[in-house]
Structures are given as C-alpha cells and as structure tokens.
C-alpha cells in the first residue's frame, strides 16, 4: 500500500506510545526503511506485518488495532491536506459514503495505480444505511468500522456500525449496517436549566 498508510500507522503509534515502541514494532515487523515516503508504493505485506507486530507489542488483537487505526485515519487524512476533499464529497454521512468511489478515484490521480476499495450504499431509512465494501485485500472489515466511527466525528453523529456478513463467511464482500444518530448540542444544558 502507499506509504501514506504506513505513515499513518507510525503517527498513531508514536503519538500514543512513543518513538521507542514504534522502533520495536518496526524491528519486529522486519521493516528496514528509515522512513516511509507517502507517494511510494510498499508491499501490502509490510502494512499487515506492522499491524501484526503492533498487536504483539501492545498486547491487543488485530480487530481492535485496525478499528482504532480506521478512526485515526480520518483525522490524519484531514491533517495531511485532504480536508477539502472531505468537504466536497458529501454534506452528510449517507451522501459522503455514496461518493467514496469518486473520492478514491480523484485520489487515484495522485496515488497512481492505487488498488482502491469500492463501496455501495443502500438507504435503509432515516439515519440508517447498509454499506457494501469490496476489496482485493482480506481482513479489513474492522478498519472500515473504525473509519465509519471517525466519519461520525466529521458529520457530528454517533455511529453504530455492525458487521452483517463477511468474506470470511464465504461472501464476495463485507456488509455493514450503519446507524448514524445526529448529535444535538446544547440540548442537555437547556433541559438541566428547565428542571
Ligand atoms: C481523503 C481521505 C482519504 C485518503 C487520502 C485515502 C487514501 C487511501 C489510500 C492511499 C489507500 C491505499 C490504497 C493503495 O495503496 O493501494 C486507501 C485505502 C483504503 N481506503 Fe481510503 N482514503 C481516504 C478516505 C477513505 C474513507 C473515508 C474510507 C471509508 C470510509 C476509506 C476506505 C479505505 C479502505 C477500506 C482502504 C483499504 C484498502 C482496501 O480495502 O483494499 N478511505 N485509501
């Protein structure tokens, strides 16, 4: 995967656990690169190995790490110069998710030859949707759950993203049921004052 992804893993680890832990994770994963270049393509195995090594060093399971990483990725991408892209890709969660393939297609102009995932949305009523996730890579459903939770912060809603079915169960893609409840601010203060 593109170096930007490995850089995000590095940023997540160093911010939360420090540089020494990151060096231990890199060594355990057998990564010899001094630094990752965001626009250089690295083998997928390197990213998977970094996640595996992080699990061992931090004593966490892969699902938890991938989910945390997904949530972190949203803020990371914003900070790395993609805020504008988020803003033009949708006004709310549903329209944004419906535009994800366009978003990655635009990114494909910079990250040439990227092997982007594909998503389709099925509207399930107010604040609810089904998300279908197609990828050439295995095991990333928890990463998508984390991404959805991170997007909840962008679109000011509380996200409940449940896995409905997975490729591990024999399907050709992963499916999620997503509820995105708008967070209304200021209401609790008014209620407290009134009581
Ligand atoms: C502007 C923000 C974003 C940027 C810059 C970005 C960029 C990337 C890049 C560079 C990759 C690696 C692909 C490769 O190297 O072959 C990737 C993969 C991926 N992206 Fe995005 N992305 C963004 C937003 C999102 C969002 C919002 C979602 C979903 C909610 C998403 C879902 C994924 C997934 C699941 C992968 C893993 C690859 C796979 O499934 O095969 N991305 N993205």
């Amino acid at each position: 995967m593109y170096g930007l992804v490995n850089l995000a893993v590095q940023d997540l680890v160093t911010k939360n656990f420090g540089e020494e832990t990151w060096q231990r994770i890199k060594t355990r994963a057998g990564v010899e690169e001094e630094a990752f270049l965001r626009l250089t393509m690295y083998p997928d195995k390197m990213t998977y190995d970094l996640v595996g090594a992080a699990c061992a060093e931090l004593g966490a399971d892969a699902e938890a790490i991938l989910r945390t990483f997904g949530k972190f990725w949203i803020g990371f991408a914003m900070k790395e110069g993609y805020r504008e892209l988020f803003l033009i890709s949708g006004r709310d969660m549903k329209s944004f998710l419906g535009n994800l393939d366009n978003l990655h297609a635009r990114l494909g102009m910079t990250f040439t030859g990227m092997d982007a995932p594909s998503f389709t949305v099925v509207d399930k009523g107010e604040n609810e949707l089904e998300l279908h996730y197609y990828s050439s890579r295995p095991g990333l459903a928890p990463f998508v759950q984390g991404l959805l939770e991170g997007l909840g912060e962008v679109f000011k809603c509380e996200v409940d993203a449940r896995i409905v079915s997975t490729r591990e169960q024999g399907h050709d893609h992963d499916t999620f049921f997503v509820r995105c409840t708008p967070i209304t601010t200021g209401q609790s203060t008014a209620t407290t004052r009134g009581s």
Side-chain angles (χ1 to χ4, degrees):
M1 270 192 261
Y2 266 103
L4 187 69
V5 178
N6 296 339
L7 273 174
V9 177
Q10 173 174 355
D11 205 31
L12 172 64
V13 171
T14 46
K15 282 218 167 89
N16 289 286
F17 303 99
E19 180 61 29
E20 262 181 44
T21 306
W22 169 244
Q23 290 305 331
R24 279 206 307 277
I25 288 171
K26 252 174 75 173
T27 306
R28 190 187 273 264
V31 172
E32 287 172 357
E33 267 74 6
E34 196 61 47
F36 297 114
L37 301 173
R38 67 197 57 213
L39 289 179
T40 296
M41 186 86 89
Y42 296 90
D44 278 9
K45 184 177 182 306
M46 191 179 275
T47 312
Y48 279 89
D49 285 352
L50 282 170
V51 171
C55 293
E57 286 291 335
L58 304 172
D61 58 37
E63 284 77 18
I65 298 233
L66 284 170
R67 200 161 170 159
T68 305
F69 179 49
K71 200 165 175 185
F72 180 81
W73 173 260
I74 301 298
F76 178 84
M78 292 267 202
K79 175 178 85 105
E80 287 294 311
Y82 299 100
R83 181 178 292 274
E84 198 59 32
L85 188 54
F86 273 97
L87 297 179
I88 61 165
S89 294
R91 271 177 291 109
D92 53 29
M93 190 76 157
K94 229 173 248 179
S95 59
F96 182 88
L97 293 177
N99 259 330
L100 266 180
D101 284 9
N102 284 333
L103 178 145
H104 279 113
R106 277 172 192 261
L107 288 165
M109 297 204 259
T110 316
F111 299 93
T112 43
M114 81 189 274
D115 182 6
S118 178
F119 295 88
T120 55
V121 174
V122 178
D123 197 334
K124 288 284 174 182
E126 199 185 1
N127 304 328
E128 291 181 350
L129 60 94
E130 209 171 69
L131 184 70
H132 296 262
Y133 161 53
Y134 299 82
S135 169
S136 63
R137 302 178 173 100
L140 296 181
F143 175 53
V144 173
Q145 277 180 303
L147 285 163
L148 292 166
E149 286 159 4
L151 285 173
E153 287 174 12
V154 176
F155 294 109
K156 310 263 180 298
C157 58
E158 200 171 307
V159 170
D160 181 11
R162 293 174 193 204
I163 296 175
V164 175
S165 59
T166 63
R167 295 196 315 187
E168 285 74 24
Q169 294 165 343
H171 301 271
D172 68 344
H173 70 283
D174 298 324
T175 305
F176 306 84
F177 182 79
V178 184
R179 183 173 295 125
C180 187
T181 314
I183 298 167
T184 46
T185 48
Q187 220 172 21
S188 58
T189 324
T191 317
T192 318
R193 277 207 198 110
S195 62

